[in-house]
Amino acid sequence: MADGRTLAEALRVLTDGADLGAFRRANPGLRVRLVAQREEFDGSLQHALLLKEPDGSTVSLSWSPDLGLPWPLRGVHRAAEHLLLRVNGVETPVARAVACLDFVWDERGVADRLVTDCLVREALEEEPEPISDAELQRAMDAFRRARGLLTGAGTRAWMERNHISHAELEELVAVEASVARLRSRVAAGRVEDWFAAHGRDLDAVRLARVVLAPANPRSPESPRSPGLGSSGLGSPGLGNPDDFLADVERAFAAGLAVPGEVFVTARRPELAGEIGEEAAEVVLSAAPGTLAGPFPTALGDLTVKVLAVEPAVLDDAVRDLVERRIFAEWIERRRRAAKIEWFWGTAERTGGTRENQPER
């Protein structure tokens, strides 16, 4: 940009409405992003063009028309902007909402997803993924099926309950479809290599399972009691696999089993996250019909009966999983390099990078 020609072309994009796509194609070495900001003070829309060079440096170019909002008033916030919700006159500021999600309800993932959403929208602004009407309709049909919205009345009731207009619903679905196309673009040409290196992570095992609650010393019969049947379910001997389901029924009827799914399909990372890498390897290496456990978990002792082990093959379902893993790794790399600022709470919570702020 030393000769000024690139800056002059960029200025024409801002002032004359020159083709942004053509500007990107003419400057493949730059990451180009057009940012729009609605000013809270007067509702006006301001634009800036960010030009990021390969060395990481960024040029920010902005332009203001005559009689536009004066620069000192840019970014001025009204007090009400900090409110997220009002119910029967009771107001919830953004700071309170995030604190509830993170600390009261233990939903740390929500804050992470908000950051991910920003990173995805940034990528889509730099390289948009246009969605045709036919693609939008297919995405809308899939969105409704996934939520059981199989009738027009059901869909309208869901929209009213969530206070979403039809235009807002279409926007949400279009973003979801664009993200799917972005995910495919990021993973293009990398699926086979990733699977060759990490395919074992997607091995699956079909299980019958039961978690026995910790023993209650005041109870005449504990989860480790032989009263559960001849197999002694949960005992170090593991018992007879043929009696497993009958023992699970008796344990649940006696109030000794933790409520939950009995028949599940788990992939290696999910299983390892619950019982550890070594125990997961034991289960995935077992022959069908084997009883394995008990394995200590947060809820109690887990015992499983292995019904089938399925080594991953690169079919359509696994290919989709691989694309999602590649996309998640790509997001994490962008996250580590991102400047993340939380505009709530104390100043210490708005560090310049993820590494120097509290773990969210």
Side-chain angles (χ1 to χ4, degrees):
M1 288 184 278
D3 60 3
R5 285 181 297 179
T6 302
L7 289 177
E9 293 168 5
L11 185 60
R12 281 196 291 274
V13 172
L14 283 175
T15 59
D16 301 334
D19 187 348
L20 179 60
F23 177 76
R24 283 192 173 113
R25 290 190 294 273
N27 298 276
L30 294 177
R31 282 179 59 187
V32 181
R33 183 180 173 207
L34 180 65
V35 235
Q37 176 176 317
R38 180 72 63 184
E39 292 293 340
E40 174 67 18
F41 187 83
D42 66 351
S44 62
L45 193 63
Q46 309 295 337
H47 292 86
L49 201 61
L50 305 183
L51 312 174
K52 189 167 186 177
E53 299 192 81
D55 64 0
S57 60
T58 302
V59 172
S60 175
L61 188 64
S62 59
W63 171 78
S64 179
D66 189 24
L67 302 180
L69 185 68
W71 286 103
L73 294 180
R74 298 279 180 93
V76 171
H77 301 302
R78 299 179 187 272
E81 186 181 2
H82 299 290
L83 291 179
L84 177 67
L85 176 69
R86 182 183 289 121
V87 178
N88 294 334
V90 178
E91 297 178 340
T92 298
V94 172
R96 166 76 179 178
V98 176
C100 284
L101 291 172
D102 258 7
F103 308 120
V104 178
W105 301 111
D106 195 24
E107 288 287 348
R108 291 181 57 196
V110 174
D112 286 338
R113 285 195 292 273
L114 291 173
V115 173
T116 297
D117 176 66
C118 289
L119 294 173
V120 167
R121 285 189 285 122
E122 177 191 31
L124 288 174
E125 287 173 7
E126 292 175 358
E127 295 185 64
E129 291 285 351
I131 303 297
S132 68
D133 290 344
E135 288 174 313
L136 179 60
Q137 185 60 58
R138 288 195 295 271
M140 180 69 75
D141 293 342
F143 181 91
R144 292 176 58 186
R145 283 195 303 271
R147 289 156 181 79
L149 307 176
L150 305 181
T151 65
T155 302
R156 286 190 293 273
W158 182 87
M159 291 166 59
E160 290 174 5
R161 186 168 61 253
N162 290 280
H163 304 283
I164 293 177
S165 67
H166 188 273
E168 290 169 332
L169 177 59
E170 282 195 348
E171 183 179 356
L172 285 173
V173 173
V175 168
E176 193 172 273
S178 296
V179 171
R181 294 198 38 183
L182 173 63
R183 186 168 59 240
S184 296
R185 185 177 80 201
V186 168
R190 302 172 56 193
V191 171
E192 287 73 14
D193 288 343
W194 192 98
F195 183 76
H198 308 288
R200 289 185 75 249
D201 287 348
L202 300 179
D203 290 349
V205 58
R206 298 186 187 277
L207 303 169
R209 54 174 283 155
V210 64
V211 176
L212 298 178
N216 182 350
R218 294 175 296 177
S219 171
E221 182 178 38
S222 76
R224 297 186 184 277
S225 166
L228 289 176
S230 59
S231 68
L233 179 63
S235 69
L238 297 180
N240 183 354
D242 294 335
D243 295 330
F244 181 76
L245 292 180
D247 286 336
V248 171
E249 289 184 16
R250 283 192 287 274
F252 189 75
L256 303 174
V258 177
E261 289 185 278
V262 175
F263 296 103
V264 301
T265 299
R267 296 196 182 271
R268 185 182 295 272
E270 303 166 65
L271 198 57
E274 184 177 20
I275 61 177
E277 293 283 352
E278 291 185 9
E281 182 61 33
V282 168
V283 173
L284 283 157
S285 301
T290 301
L291 280 188
F295 305 112
T297 72
L299 297 178
D301 287 343
L302 169 69
T303 300
V304 302
K305 180 179 180 179
V306 178
L307 304 178
V309 177
E310 301 175 348
V313 294
L314 196 54
D315 55 16
D316 289 344
V318 170
R319 181 176 290 274
D320 181 68
L321 288 174
V322 172
E323 286 192 356
R324 291 176 184 275
R325 295 292 183 88
I326 294 172
F327 188 64
E329 293 168 1
W330 179 79
I331 285 289
E332 184 56 30
R333 288 194 298 272
R334 290 180 72 101
R335 182 183 184 124
R336 286 196 295 268
K339 178 182 179 181
I340 300 173
E341 299 173 281
W342 289 96
F343 295 102
W344 67 280
T346 61
E348 287 77 9
R349 291 193 178 275
T350 58
T353 65
R354 185 170 186 256
E355 286 72 16
N356 62 17
Q357 59 186 327
E359 185 67 29
R360 307 301 302 153

